[in-house]
Amino acid sequence: EVSHTMASVRILAFLALLAVAAAFSPSTLVSFTPSGMKSTCVGPTMQLASPQIAKPKVDIGHQLGTTQPDAQGKAKTATPKLAPKKKTQDDETPMYKVILIGDTEYEQAHVVTQITKVIPSVQKEEAVRIYVEAQMTGSSVIIVVTEEHAEHYVQQLKRQQIYAKMEKEKK
């Protein structure tokens, strides 16, 4: 009775494997035979390809730092040829300064708190320094960011009655 049950479990497992294999196209089918079962089922089999090692499509040439004799027979060190630097989008993106404008009406605690809330990358100590500089000199650069961020920060500070402006950074 127990061996009969084991045999039926094996048959069910085998049928489940065949059902999974049938979901694939005939060219990818694999012949499954659970251990201990004799199968007369013959079907398409999948040949597994061994992984190929990637080969460079370009001749690499000489290693850097190797020495080669020049025309006079003296050893000469190979020098790398530097390609011109490619411009990235970051290089072309104009950056803007967000500038706090000093005002005698400001309360230091309010300005420092709002700067740190509106611009999360500015720490409290830096916000205090910016506030003091703006009060002493009339203005202070808070942060340099992209145009969209600068506009956003200026608008958010203005909502809190803190006056700021943005200026394009000169490169």
Side-chain angles (χ1 to χ4, degrees):
E1 174 93 36
V2 173
S3 64
H4 183 65
T5 307
M6 291 292 286
S8 60
V9 168
R10 284 185 179 172
I11 291 171
L12 288 174
F14 179 70
L15 291 175
L17 285 173
L18 285 178
V20 169
F24 296 100
S25 67
S27 64
T28 60
L29 283 180
V30 178
S31 177
F32 293 100
T33 306
S35 63
M37 288 190 68
K38 294 180 182 176
S39 172
T40 57
C41 178
V42 178
T45 60
M46 178 174 74
Q47 294 180 354
L48 298 175
S50 61
Q52 297 292 323
I53 297 175
K55 294 179 183 171
K57 294 180 181 177
V58 194
D59 184 24
I60 298 189
H62 300 291
Q63 299 283 330
L64 292 179
T66 59
T67 57
Q68 300 174 353
D70 63 0
Q72 299 171 350
K74 297 179 183 176
K76 180 174 110 177
T77 304
T79 56
K81 293 180 181 177
L82 299 177
K85 184 179 176 184
K86 294 181 181 177
K87 289 191 174 189
T88 63
Q89 186 158 350
D90 291 340
D91 295 336
E92 297 174 8
T93 303
M95 300 300 280
Y96 287 80
K97 297 185 273 188
V98 177
I99 302 170
L100 175 67
I101 299 171
D103 189 347
T104 56
E105 302 283 320
Y106 290 152
E107 291 182 22
Q108 181 176 351
H110 174 70
V111 173
V112 169
T113 302
Q114 294 309 317
I115 288 175
T116 57
K117 279 185 181 178
V118 170
I119 309 171
S121 61
V122 177
Q123 301 297 316
K124 184 177 180 181
E125 297 79 22
E126 181 69 11
V128 170
R129 185 199 61 75
I130 291 166
Y131 171 81
V132 171
E133 183 180 332
Q135 293 301 81
M136 293 177 71
T137 64
S139 66
S140 179
V141 175
I142 301 172
I143 194 168
V144 179
V145 290
T146 60
E147 185 175 14
E148 292 84 13
H149 284 106
E151 287 174 350
H152 173 73
Y153 293 151
V154 168
Q155 288 172 356
Q156 294 302 310
L157 290 169
K158 189 173 184 178
R159 285 184 178 183
Q160 302 300 324
Q161 283 74 43
I162 299 171
Y163 303 105
K165 64 180 181 176
M166 57 185 266
E167 286 182 4
K168 191 170 185 177
E169 184 180 42
K170 296 177 178 99
K171 291 189 177 189

